[in-house]
Amino acid sequence: MEMDSGSSADEFSSDDEADYTANDENFQAVSRSTRVTKEDVLKGKDMQGIPWAELDTTREEYRSSRLRTYMNYENLNDEQRPVPAASLQLEFARHKVQYKGQYYGFENNERRLKSSIVHFQLRNLVWATTPHDVFVTHGNDIFHYSYVSDDLTPILRLEGPQLSVGRVQISTMSVHGSTCLAGGFYGDMICIRIPADLRSPGGGEESCGEVLFCERITTDENAITNSISLHEPAQGSLQAIVSNNDCAVRITDVETGFTLLNRMLFDWPVNYTAVAPDGKLACVVGDSTQALLVDVSTGQRVAECAKHIDFSFAAAWHPAGNIFATGSQDKTVRLWDRRTYKCLATLGGRIGSIRSIRFTDDGQYMAMAEPADFVHIFDCNQNFHVAQEIDLFGEIAGISFAPGGSALFVGVADRTYGSMMQFRRRRGGLLAQHDPSH
């Protein structure tokens, strides 16, 4: 991963951290005008609240412009790649996708809950714990929001005496039960206990979370924590799988104070590690065209899956454990067979890299997010041949399915239209008369 915290900016992007402060009046305001509902959209309002009638362009014109001008970030050019980028078209032709699915319908868009991005390549900054509860990073803080109570609560404020490592810039986040883990730009890792009562003791200003662990887990100069995932084995305690730019993956035991269980070293910076549902294998991706399968207990390399033509930043396992997915800056997700290590299909994005991949718990759907504007939802039961496209404007800070897959949350990082978008699962994925998300 590039050691650069900048991001390309335009009308619907976010690269200025000064625009995101925890004291932002717009962020703290409790005005109901900050929410767009499905009822508003049915009456003709844009789902992001963008007043197209007042602008000098239409939505369709601006979408066409974005498709023509958006510049995808790539680390490799055709001379450095194993095969030219044009060869991907043949793979797309072999696995055709029909965009006729309507699996998730727009429900709400809350503009009080703005995401922010520290590093333009890292987009795992949103986490849902119920169909109406979501956690998000904003500036140097972590907030919880409830769509039911409308409460916006700080879980962690990272500028205060509670942190032994000083100021932390959050690069990644993960939540499991009452545990929230955050990774920082300088190899920091912070564990917060989320209280059962998510009301702030200071009336919205003070953090209600308890810091249990706060250390820099590496002293390497190139030390950014690229991703943290939480895995609970069938037998055993909760584990944190931490991927760092120092070319290491660390597996620690959360419940014993982050005792190091294993440290695996690689030839390149590791951007994401996804552990299989049975806990035996991990898919490791990073600054390489390879995706490696490794034995979690020994660190031994089991297989090398080398079909991508640029660096990768996302990986995920289907809950059944036989398929895993990897997402790359070559604008594709590749699906792999765990038993044969062969690529089953190549799925393409519209404008940019695939920065995040998520499966629903029941294994029916897989979502993949581009860096901006598009989230794609594939029906796994249709062998990934049928999909839904969510079309929005702005940089995407992260996506997260609620447990059970009943809701999908999309964090949008934008100076003006930053928000948290909530989509609800439809029965049978039937086409509605009017779908604002497509």
Side-chain angles (χ1 to χ4, degrees):
M1 187 209 65
E2 295 288 328
M3 286 298 291
D4 176 4
S5 60
S7 174
S8 60
D10 58 28
E11 241 179 295
F12 294 99
S13 68
S14 168
D15 69 332
D16 187 354
E17 190 176 344
D19 287 325
Y20 294 102
T21 64
N23 295 318
D24 186 336
E25 292 181 0
N26 291 329
F27 185 72
Q28 296 296 336
V30 190
S31 169
R32 295 312 307 138
S33 64
T34 62
R35 183 177 295 191
V36 179
T37 68
K38 62 181 179 182
E39 289 79 15
D40 293 327
V41 170
L42 289 172
K43 295 175 184 177
K45 189 170 184 177
D46 179 81
M47 69 176 179
Q48 291 182 265
I50 302 173
W52 294 106
E54 301 173 16
L55 304 179
D56 60 1
T57 185
T58 66
R59 192 186 198 281
E60 292 73 20
E61 290 170 342
Y62 192 71
R63 168 54 64 219
S64 178
S65 173
R66 290 276 281 186
L67 290 172
R68 291 193 313 270
T69 62
Y70 188 90
M71 298 296 292
N72 181 46
Y73 183 86
E74 299 172 342
N75 282 94
L76 305 178
N77 57 41
D78 266 0
E79 293 181 358
Q80 299 168 308
R81 290 169 171 156
V83 296
S87 65
L88 293 174
Q89 298 304 317
L90 296 175
E91 298 189 55
F92 297 150
R94 286 195 292 268
H95 186 92
K96 295 186 181 298
V97 176
Q98 293 180 294
Y99 276 93
K100 63 180 183 180
Q102 296 294 328
Y103 312 125
Y104 284 80
F106 174 77
E107 187 76 11
N108 289 294
N109 183 36
E110 180 53 64
R111 286 172 59 180
R112 289 170 61 206
L113 195 60
K114 296 183 179 182
S115 309
S116 57
I117 299 167
V118 168
H119 194 287
F120 73 102
Q121 291 172 305
L122 305 179
R123 306 299 181 93
N124 294 293
L125 300 167
V126 172
W127 210 269
T129 54
T130 78
H132 47 77
D133 289 281
V134 65
F135 294 80
V136 66
T137 62
H138 179 94
N140 296 318
D141 304 324
I142 298 175
F143 286 84
H144 165 267
Y145 179 73
S146 169
Y147 280 85
V148 173
S149 68
D150 193 37
D151 289 334
L152 180 65
T153 307
I155 300 302
L156 180 68
R157 291 194 182 276
L158 292 183
E159 293 184 358
Q162 59 181 324
L163 298 183
S164 59
V165 297
R167 185 173 182 270
V168 175
Q169 292 179 285
I170 301 174
S171 54
T172 188
M173 179 186 68
S174 184
V175 178
H176 182 91
S178 62
T179 299
C180 175
L181 282 183
F185 208 77
Y186 301 101
D188 323 278
M189 189 166 72
I190 303 147
C191 178
I192 309 105
R193 177 186 287 131
I194 304 168
D197 184 356
L198 282 168
R199 288 176 295 181
S200 173
E205 294 299 325
E206 296 181 22
S207 166
C208 71
E210 178 187 359
V211 176
L212 302 178
F213 179 90
C214 180
E215 289 186 11
R216 286 186 176 149
I217 60 175
T218 174
T219 57
D220 193 287
E221 291 184 4
N222 199 16
I224 184 169
T225 305
N226 291 328
S227 68
I228 297 176
S229 57
L230 290 163
H231 173 73
E232 189 166 24
Q235 295 182 340
S237 57
L238 186 65
Q239 297 176 354
I241 295 88
V242 188
S243 303
N244 277 79
N245 228 44
D246 64 356
C247 305
V249 174
R250 296 168 177 85
I251 301 177
T252 64
D253 188 312
V254 175
E255 296 180 14
T256 60
F258 294 91
T259 302
L260 185 64
L261 302 176
N262 196 1
R263 179 172 176 263
M264 298 178 283
L265 296 177
F266 298 87
D267 298 329
W268 26 260
V270 180
N271 296 326
Y272 200 90
T273 303
V275 174
D278 62 10
K280 295 179 180 179
L281 294 178
C283 176
V284 182
V285 298
D287 287 4
S288 171
T289 57
Q290 304 171 338
L292 298 179
L293 277 187
V294 298
D295 185 296
V296 170
S297 60
T298 66
Q300 181 179 354
R301 299 185 185 189
V302 175
E304 176 184 314
C305 303
K307 285 284 188 178
H308 282 298
I309 58 174
D310 209 297
F311 297 171
S312 296
F313 284 80
W317 288 82
H318 187 277
N322 291 328
I323 293 175
F324 60 98
T326 55
S328 169
Q329 291 184 155
D330 63 14
K331 301 184 188 178
T332 71
V333 159
R334 288 185 178 272
L335 302 170
W336 306 88
D337 189 321
R338 172 179 178 165
R339 296 157 294 191
T340 65
Y341 317 126
K342 293 186 181 298
C343 181
L344 301 174
T346 305
L347 310 174
R350 291 286 297 277
I351 62 173
S353 310
I354 306 304
R355 298 291 183 197
S356 184
I357 305 171
R358 299 286 186 268
F359 284 95
T360 54
D361 291 345
D362 63 3
Q364 183 165 352
Y365 299 117
M366 182 195 78
M368 67 184 203
E370 300 187 45
D373 292 18
F374 294 104
V375 176
H376 309 264
I377 306 169
F378 291 84
D379 189 337
C380 305
N381 294 340
Q382 296 290 326
N383 292 322
F384 304 89
H385 284 292
V386 184
Q388 172 186 355
E389 181 181 87
I390 296 176
D391 181 335
L392 54 92
F393 290 103
E395 297 289 312
I396 297 172
I399 58 173
S400 181
F401 284 113
S406 56
L408 171 68
F409 294 87
V410 180
V412 181
D414 185 80
R415 296 187 190 97
T416 305
Y417 297 105
S419 64
M420 183 63 64
M421 305 187 75
Q422 179 193 38
F423 298 84
R424 296 303 293 264
R425 186 165 172 172
R426 291 190 173 122
R427 292 184 179 180
L430 299 177
L431 180 64
Q433 288 184 346
H434 177 61
D435 181 9
S437 66
H438 183 70

